[in-house]
Amino acid sequence: MDLFDLHCDTLTSCCNKGLSLAENELEISLQKGSYLERWAQCFAVFVPDELRGEAAYDYYRRAVDYYRAQAAPPLLREGAELTALRRGERRLCPILTVEGGAVLAGRLERIQTLAEDGVQMLTITWNGENELGWGVSENRGLKPLGREAVREMERWGILPDVSHLSQWGFYDLAAVAEGPIVASHSNAKALCNHPRNLTDEQFAVIRDRGGLVGLNYNQGFLREDGPATPDDIAEHALHFLALGGEKTLALGSDFDGAEMPQQLPDIAALPALADAMARRGIGPQQIQAIFFDNAADFFERRLSSF
């Protein structure tokens, strides 16, 4: 099985708890994913809303240093590394992302620092307000500094991630960004009316810009009543596929940052998700595209152009 996962909080959990990324009791470890034949994993540094200013940046710095101290492969930097993964010449590509624009501490020059660290995606906000704008807790848009940050991120090759932005913020960002945008871990609002999910119109904007949407396994984003299952994830996939998302759809598990369905306790259980998609009539080529090919194609092209 191949996997390209656009979002997990495992690195942050390991750093905060002093755990090894290689082997731990979390939902992702390098050992638990060892059955995967080709694996690209986005490891997010999650910056909590209570951290602002230099405290937010220092928190990020500690997490990056913690990763570098692990017995793990170097972070992805070039398209050639994904090409090698596609060819089977390597098995694992770790990718660094950041969840929360507070990491910049209000300083645009920090975007260059993040790019030099290898950061590939940055969510503009988490749920609350920061120096760049407002999250889903308040339907307001980007601040002037946020608009400048989006332009600077694109200049340095960091993708703007709209997961956690309000709808107003989403459309502010779409108006400023010139290239593709990503929702690394969001589902369909039409199926589960959660503020973190995407409307069909928002999905269409991402689709038409050549971006990606990663399906989130969080129970609260899958259904409004009762426990969620892998079949619910498959239903969200079918909804987005019906909107023309064949090349847009990917996975964004939110492992180690959310409440998982009982049948998906960790990364080792992912075959259950592939089985659920197959039961819902999603063909093997499309499952492969969702699990790996769409995101791998996207990042390989993008990294090769910088």
Side-chain angles (χ1 to χ4, degrees):
M1 174 176 278
D2 300 329
L3 175 66
F4 199 124
D5 183 354
L6 296 177
H7 184 82
C8 76
D9 289 298
T10 309
L11 172 58
T12 307
S13 295
C14 284
C15 181
N16 289 340
K17 298 175 182 179
L19 301 175
S20 165
L21 195 60
E23 193 166 357
N24 57 58
E25 296 304 315
L26 300 175
E27 291 162 354
I28 287 182
S29 70
L30 302 187
Q31 187 277 328
K32 287 178 181 175
S34 61
Y35 73 99
L36 295 164
E37 296 178 22
R38 297 182 295 177
W39 181 17
Q41 180 64 55
C42 294
F43 289 103
V45 178
F46 162 58
V47 182
D49 271 343
E50 60 266 24
L51 293 180
R52 292 293 180 264
E54 290 302 310
Y57 177 74
D58 291 344
Y59 181 92
Y60 158 81
R61 190 83 263 150
R62 286 194 298 274
V64 174
D65 291 343
Y66 196 84
Y67 181 87
R68 290 173 175 165
Q70 301 290 304
L75 294 163
L76 175 76
R77 290 182 175 274
E78 299 179 356
E81 297 168 38
L82 272 175
T83 303
L85 182 72
R86 303 287 297 271
R87 292 174 177 170
E89 297 166 6
R90 61 184 297 174
R91 194 189 66 81
L92 173 61
C93 277
I95 301 169
L96 182 62
T97 69
V98 180
E99 188 172 24
V103 66
L104 303 179
R107 297 171 56 183
L108 291 181
E109 62 268 27
R110 285 272 165 75
I111 293 172
Q112 178 181 353
T113 303
L114 266 60
E116 291 171 349
D117 286 337
V119 171
Q120 301 299 327
M121 290 191 293
L122 171 63
T123 60
I124 306 304
T125 66
W126 195 57
N127 290 336
E129 178 188 0
N130 65 26
E131 297 89 342
L132 306 185
W134 287 265
V136 296
S137 61
E138 190 173 356
N139 192 23
R140 300 177 68 179
L142 298 185
K143 298 178 181 179
L145 185 66
R147 296 184 180 92
E148 291 183 60
V150 172
R151 298 186 186 99
E152 190 71 358
M153 286 164 58
E154 290 193 314
R155 190 168 80 86
W156 284 99
I158 297 176
L159 284 160
D161 182 353
V162 299
S163 287
H164 288 284
L165 268 182
S166 68
Q167 287 196 41
W168 189 347
F170 174 96
Y171 286 108
D172 272 359
L173 187 149
V176 172
E178 295 183 356
I181 55 181
V182 171
S184 63
H185 54 305
S186 297
N187 293 334
K189 197 174 183 69
L191 299 187
C192 179
N193 188 26
H194 191 285
R196 275 277 286 102
N197 286 341
L198 299 168
T199 65
D200 291 356
E201 292 76 15
Q202 288 175 302
F203 182 83
V205 170
I206 297 171
R207 177 200 65 203
D208 293 347
R209 297 282 283 270
L212 292 172
V213 172
L215 294 166
N216 192 324
Y217 311 165
N218 186 343
Q219 294 208 49
F221 301 165
L222 289 168
R223 60 184 305 147
E224 297 171 47
D225 60 318
T229 70
D231 293 277
D232 292 300
I233 303 173
E235 289 299 322
H236 283 262
L238 284 168
H239 181 82
F240 284 140
L241 291 174
L243 298 175
E246 293 87 356
K247 299 295 185 182
T248 308
L249 204 52
L251 299 178
S253 67
D254 213 357
F255 274 136
D256 294 309
E259 184 182 2
M260 295 291 115
Q262 185 177 1
Q263 299 92 332
L264 282 179
D266 57 31
I267 194 171
L270 278 181
L273 177 55
D275 290 345
M277 289 185 179
R279 285 196 303 272
R280 287 293 188 272
I282 302 175
Q285 287 187 324
Q286 188 62 67
I287 293 173
Q288 174 68 17
I290 295 169
F291 267 70
F292 184 82
D293 289 344
N294 286 345
D297 289 347
F298 175 89
F299 276 93
E300 187 176 12
R301 287 194 306 269
R302 182 173 177 82
L303 285 167
S304 298
S305 68
F306 277 94

